[in-house]
Amino acid sequence: MTARSVTLIGLGPMGLAMANAYLDNGYDLTVWNRTAGRADDLVARGARRADTVEDALKANDLVVMSLTDYDAFYAILEQAPEALAGRTVANLTSDTPDRAREATEWVAARGGVQLTAGVLVPPPGIGTPDAVSYYSGPKDALETHRETLEVLTQIDYLGDDPGLAALYYQIGIDMFWTGLVAYLHGQAIAKANGISAQQFLPHAVKTMDFRYFLEFYAPRLDAGNDEGDVDTLSMGAASLEHVIHTAKSSGVDVSLPSAVLDLFHRAIAAGHGRDSLTSLTKVLTR
Ligand code: NDP
């Protein structure tokens, strides 16, 4: 075990990018993966393939994990739970805040410490200067292993609660998927009308630059101010009707804008027709 030494468990696209970043930086790397053959190229580059989970855990103080979900995490660590004693697990696997908290307790009950993280870049971003991950969990463990973790991404530390990294990650992913599907939906209307994705791209970039709106609404959301002085739900509903008609006449599925219109109608039915878009939070929050 050396100071520049780490174990990595999980060699999907993300884990492979992480393993290569450690090798690029001269780390002494031990890897384990359920499908052992995925480590072949890494072994050719100098990584050590552990034969068992126990061997992988015992090889280093810091064990980085990058898996599909926490089911995979338990499936692996239950093979050698006693080997967690004294180890720090940096769990860079996405899952829910509750599962991140449960897993932290599970690791602690076996004498280990867990840091949780949510990686905010795709695999090619690993090891690049602007890459960032959310982290939460015990600050002292983070500081002990900061240098090794920063080989992968910068660290945005959110606090002691192990669920925080997962929570911030899931909030961002909520915005990411719905926003990106909206982009695909708009591009489908463009395509149906003979406009290529590249042709529409500069217009999409302008339309989807929401910064002004995000900053405008944030203080109003915090203050509970739904004043309809610049926008109203009634106006928004009429606008969405136009989108749905345009999509329909283009032969494009309307389930996405219809779901948004349904939210608008529910808020209008609750008396918010003359209020701002922010009053949608009244139907979004149960
Ligand atoms: P994958 O789903 O491809 O990860 C697969 C890894 O999990 C493999 O090592 C696989 O092993 C292992 N695994 C899955 N199920 C089990 C199981 N039951 N037992 C043992 N091992 C199991 O994900 P990625 O590599 O793409 O991503 C890893 C994490 O990073 C995920 O949580 C993802 O949400 C997150 N992330 C991914 C991004 C991306 O763009 N890829 C971006 C940001 C975050 P095997 O090889 O044997 O199948």
Side-chain angles (χ1 to χ4, degrees):
M1 198 184 310
T2 67
R4 292 168 66 81
S5 175
V6 65
T7 289
L8 178 68
I9 294 181
L11 298 175
M14 185 56 90
L16 280 172
M18 291 174 175
N20 279 304
Y22 280 125
L23 293 173
D24 290 347
N25 282 274
Y27 270 72
D28 179 354
L29 176 68
T30 297
V31 291
W32 186 90
N33 194 56
R34 177 180 60 176
T35 308
R38 281 199 213 281
D40 289 351
D41 291 347
L42 299 170
V43 171
R45 289 197 64 200
R48 188 177 80 82
R49 181 179 4 227
D51 289 333
T52 62
V53 173
E54 181 180 6
D55 178 13
L57 293 177
K58 287 186 170 168
N60 285 292
D61 291 341
L62 178 65
V63 178
V64 174
M65 301 190 74
S66 173
L67 302 163
T68 304
D69 54 26
Y70 278 53
D71 289 340
F73 165 90
Y74 289 114
I76 292 168
L77 293 184
E78 275 167 355
Q79 294 176 38
E82 69 294 341
L84 282 167
R87 307 256 128 44
T88 297
V89 174
N91 197 346
L92 278 59
T93 300
S94 312
D95 211 315
T96 66
D98 285 347
R99 294 202 90 194
R101 293 182 185 115
E102 279 162 21
T104 296
E105 283 177 21
W106 190 89
V107 170
R110 284 145 189 87
V113 169
Q114 176 170 256
L115 290 163
T116 55
V119 179
L120 299 177
V121 290
I126 295 298
T128 61
D130 293 336
V132 181
S133 300
Y134 295 133
Y135 276 82
S136 65
K139 187 87 177 4
D140 52 346
L142 181 77
E143 293 309 332
T144 302
H145 297 291
R146 178 179 280 281
E147 187 185 340
T148 302
L149 295 171
E150 282 183 340
V151 168
L152 307 177
T153 67
Q154 291 179 46
I155 292 169
D156 185 353
Y157 179 69
L158 299 170
D160 203 42
D161 172 3
L164 273 181
L167 180 61
Y168 273 58
Y169 181 83
Q170 297 305 341
I171 293 170
I173 288 291
D174 177 18
M175 296 173 180
F176 177 80
W177 285 126
T178 48
L180 213 54
V181 174
Y183 170 71
L184 295 180
H185 190 266
Q187 285 285 25
I189 298 176
K191 185 176 181 187
N193 287 278
I195 303 163
S196 77
Q198 296 268 39
Q199 253 177 302
F200 199 77
L201 178 61
H203 306 283
V205 167
K206 274 190 201 146
T207 303
M208 298 203 78
D209 178 3
F210 286 123
R211 189 184 180 108
Y212 169 82
F213 296 99
L214 307 187
E215 291 178 351
F216 176 77
Y217 286 124
R220 287 181 172 225
L221 284 168
D222 283 342
N225 173 8
D226 296 328
E227 190 186 347
D229 53 341
V230 293
D231 67 285
T232 64
L233 280 186
S234 307
M235 174 279 289
S239 164
L240 275 161
E241 295 279 7
H242 304 155
V243 172
I244 289 169
H245 288 309
T246 307
K248 252 187 204 154
S249 64
S250 305
V252 170
D253 183 274
V254 295
S255 52
L256 184 65
S258 300
V260 181
L261 182 59
D262 176 59
L263 282 174
F264 277 52
H265 280 157
R266 282 159 52 198
I268 290 167
H272 296 292
R274 302 310 303 164
D275 292 339
S276 160
L277 180 72
T278 53
S279 60
L280 282 182
T281 52
K282 305 287 187 297
V283 291
L284 289 172
T285 310
R286 284 160 205 257

